[in-house]
Amino acid sequence: MDRPEPITNTPTSNDACLSIVHSLMCHRQGGESETFAKRAIESLVKKLKEKKDELDSLITAITTNGAHPSKCVTIQRTLDGRLQVAGRKGFPHVIYARLWRWPDLHKNELKHVKYCQFAFDLKCDSVCVNPYHYERVVSPGIDLSGLTLSGPPGLMVKDEYDYDCPSSLPSSEGHVQTIQHPPSRPVAQETFSSPALLPPPEGSNSASAFSGIAVGSTTPEYWCSIAYFEMDVQVGETFKVPSNCPVVTVDGYVDPSGGDRFCLGQLSNVHRTDAIERARLHIGKGVQLECRGEGDVWVRCLSDHAVFVQSYYLDREAGRAPGDAVHKIYPSAYIKVFDLRQCHRQMQQQAATAQAAAAAQAAAVAGNIPGPGSVGGIAPAISLSAAAGIGVDDLRRLCILRMSFVKGWGPDYPRQSIKETPCWIEIHLHRALQLLDEVLHTMPIADPQPLD
C-alpha cells in the first residue's frame, strides 16, 4: 500500500495569524528570547494582514531560507526610524534580520540587495524588513573572525576569565543584551607605551568640528573624573584627569596615581572579599581612555581580559535603546564609546520633551486637554506622565560612562547590574556636563515631585 503524500505545514496569508506566527517562530535563529521573538513576529504579521501578497512573500522567504525570490515586505517608517517591540527600540530591518538570519548582527553590517525598492537606507516612507533583501557585510572596525561563541546560538556569552559559580541561562524576559566588540586588527604592543603613538585627535579645529555646539563656555580644567567601585561601594577618592592629559590609563598596578595614570592596585578596602581580590589581579594593564576633539571619548582595552561598557553612544550605533545593552570590548580593541555632538542633541531633545510634557500635563490638570499633536517628539509608547517625569538625573546619565573589568553583567551573566560586579569605574565627562548646564539654563526642567 502506497504511503500518502506528506501534508505541508507551510501557511499562507489566508491562515490565522496564530498559525503563521507559529510557523515563522520555527525558523528563528535563537539569538533573542522567545518572548521578544514572538512579539516581534506577531507585530509584523498583524501589520501585513491587509497586504496579503507581502505576507505571502515573507512566509516564502522565511520558510525556504531565501531559496525562492521574494518581494519587498514593508512596514511604515517611524519618525526616528526605529521600531519598538516588547519595551525595546531598534531598526526594523536589523530586528528581523537578527531573528531569522544572523543573531549576532551589528546594525552597520547590513547592505540591501539591488532589487530591494524599499530598503531602510533609501529613506522611503515604507521600510522593507524582508531579511533576504539584505546582505551582511563586515563593517569597518569589527572583525567577525575573532568572534567565537561556544555552543549553539542562544546560549550565553561567557566571561573571558571565569572563576566563580557557573552562569545561569539568560531569562526569557531579559531585555539587556551583550554586544561584542572584538579588535579590528592586531595592535603592536609598542603602541601602548606612549600616548604620542596613538592616532591623532579627530577634528583638531574644534570650532568647525563642533559648530552646532555652544562654544561660549571655557574648556573645563579637568576633562573627566573617574570613581572606582567594588560592588556598590566606592573605594578611594575620585580621580580627576586634567584637560592637558587627553589620554589616561586606568590599570591594576600599585604605582602612585597622578596626571595621566590611575592605579587601582594601591587602593585598599576593608570590606574586600576574596572574589573581588581575585578579579582585581586580572585588571592588569587595564584600559586607556582618550579624549578626542572637543569631547569624544575612545577606549582601548590593554588588559588580557575583556572590559564591559555601558555606553549610550554604542547602544545607538547597535540600534538599541539607551541602556538596553552591555558592550563587551575585547583585548586590543580600540573603540569610540562617547560622541559629544550626539549627547548634546539627546539632552536638548529630552529637555524639550520634558518641558513640553510638563506643560501639557499642567494644562490637562487645569482642564485644558491638549490635542494629540501638542507634545511634539514624544513617542506614542511614552506616557505624558513618564515624559514629564524626566529629571536632571536622567539627563546627567547621558554624560556618564560605566565600565566593568573582567566580569560582565546582564542576562548573559549571573550578575544583573554593574553594581554586582567586583571592580568597575564610573567616568563623568566634564565637557558634556558643562553643556548640560547650558541646556538646563535655556530649558529648565523641574525634577519630578513626589505626590502628596
Side-chain angles (χ1 to χ4, degrees):
M1 184 178 172
D2 292 339
R3 290 185 178 179
E5 287 291 313
I7 299 171
T8 176
N9 288 325
T10 304
T12 70
S13 58
N14 293 318
D15 286 300
C17 284
L18 200 63
S19 303
I20 299 170
V21 170
H22 178 76
S23 176
L24 296 178
M25 279 287 286
C26 295
H27 294 270
R28 68 191 181 96
Q29 293 300 303
E32 299 284 6
S33 72
E34 186 175 351
T35 305
F36 179 84
K38 191 173 182 184
R39 287 195 193 169
I41 295 171
E42 281 175 347
S43 168
L44 181 56
V45 170
K46 285 175 183 173
K47 285 173 183 163
L48 297 174
K49 252 311 189 179
E50 301 304 314
K51 299 189 281 188
K52 291 188 181 295
D53 57 334
E54 292 190 25
L55 183 51
D56 280 324
S57 280
L58 176 71
I59 294 167
T60 300
I62 302 307
T63 56
T64 66
N65 296 325
H68 299 297
S70 52
K71 299 175 185 174
C72 284
V73 176
T74 61
I75 61 173
Q76 188 72 25
R77 181 185 288 271
T78 59
L79 284 175
D80 68 353
R82 296 186 296 168
L83 179 70
Q84 179 149 324
V85 177
R88 263 171 46 185
K89 286 189 104 177
F91 295 107
H93 63 313
V94 177
I95 289 174
Y96 293 106
R98 279 190 188 130
L99 269 183
W100 284 309
R101 295 194 71 182
W102 307 286
D104 59 345
L105 179 73
H106 187 275
K107 81 171 176 76
N108 292 334
E109 294 168 6
L110 282 185
K111 176 184 174 186
H112 64 270
V113 294
K114 289 180 182 176
Y115 52 82
C116 183
Q117 297 176 301
F118 297 96
F120 182 82
D121 292 338
L122 298 180
K123 310 288 186 194
C124 303
D125 289 341
S126 296
V127 179
C128 178
V129 295
N130 185 337
Y132 292 94
H133 276 205
Y134 295 89
E135 295 169 344
R136 188 175 190 176
V137 292
V138 179
S139 63
I142 294 185
D143 177 12
L144 294 175
S145 65
L147 195 63
T148 55
L149 294 176
S150 56
L155 289 183
M156 75 202 102
V157 181
K158 293 288 283 178
D159 291 88
E160 287 287 282
Y161 160 66
D162 198 20
Y163 54 74
D164 56 8
C165 59
S167 299
S168 58
L169 282 172
S171 84
S172 61
E173 293 299 319
H175 287 166
V176 179
Q177 179 181 342
T178 307
I179 297 173
Q180 306 188 47
H181 301 270
S184 56
R185 62 184 184 277
V187 182
Q189 193 66 30
E190 304 85 74
T191 308
F192 307 141
S193 60
S194 165
L197 293 173
L198 287 166
E202 280 183 336
S204 51
N205 184 345
S206 295
S208 61
F210 292 92
S211 54
I213 294 179
V215 290
S217 51
T218 56
T219 303
E221 183 182 357
Y222 302 98
W223 72 266
C224 78
S225 52
I226 306 169
Y228 169 65
F229 292 83
E230 293 175 359
M231 308 295 275
D232 59 351
V233 176
Q234 182 174 347
V235 177
E237 295 183 3
T238 300
F239 182 81
K240 294 183 177 180
V241 185
S243 290
N244 61 2
C245 292
V247 179
V248 61
T249 302
V250 183
D251 61 40
Y253 300 128
V254 294
D255 302 324
S257 297
D260 62 356
R261 190 172 173 207
F262 185 19
C263 297
L264 306 178
Q266 44 89 24
L267 298 176
S268 59
N269 176 11
V270 292
H271 303 294
R272 185 172 291 151
T273 62
D274 289 343
I276 293 173
E277 196 67 74
R278 287 197 298 273
R280 280 167 51 83
L281 294 174
H282 291 268
I283 296 173
K285 294 178 181 175
V287 294
Q288 211 168 51
L289 306 171
E290 182 188 3
C291 181
R292 294 171 66 169
E294 193 183 345
D296 293 355
V297 179
W298 290 64
V299 167
R300 192 190 297 278
C301 179
L302 308 182
S303 173
D304 291 335
H305 303 286
V307 293
F308 298 81
V309 178
Q310 186 179 68
S311 156
Y312 289 174
Y313 169 75
L314 287 178
D315 291 344
R316 192 173 180 86
E317 286 298 291
R320 298 280 175 171
D324 204 26
V326 178
H327 301 270
K328 182 175 184 177
I329 300 181
Y330 281 76
S332 299
Y334 179 61
I335 189 165
K336 184 177 182 178
V337 293
F338 180 81
D339 184 287
L340 186 67
R341 180 183 289 276
Q342 184 197 90
C343 176
H344 189 232
R345 266 201 310 268
Q346 277 185 288
M347 59 177 73
Q348 286 177 316
Q349 287 167 356
Q350 286 195 23
T353 298
Q355 256 196 343
Q361 199 176 43
V365 169
N368 304 318
I369 307 298
S374 298
V375 186
I378 299 181
I382 301 176
S383 69
L384 203 61
S385 59
I390 296 172
V392 176
D393 283 347
D394 298 294
L395 296 177
R396 281 180 63 84
R397 286 191 197 103
L398 299 172
C399 312
I400 295 171
L401 295 167
R402 286 175 159 187
M403 185 182 304
S404 167
F405 295 96
V406 184
K407 288 294 190 177
W409 76 95
D412 293 340
Y413 301 95
R415 299 159 294 278
Q416 294 309 300
S417 155
I418 195 171
K419 292 183 178 181
E420 296 171 35
T421 62
C423 36
W424 58 281
I425 55 176
E426 184 171 88
I427 304 146
H428 290 240
L429 303 170
H430 293 195
R431 179 65 180 123
L433 289 165
Q434 194 178 50
L435 290 174
L436 176 58
D437 281 344
E438 293 177 12
V439 168
L440 292 174
H441 274 105
T442 55
M443 287 187 285
I445 61 173
D447 271 321
Q449 296 298 315
L451 295 172
D452 292 332

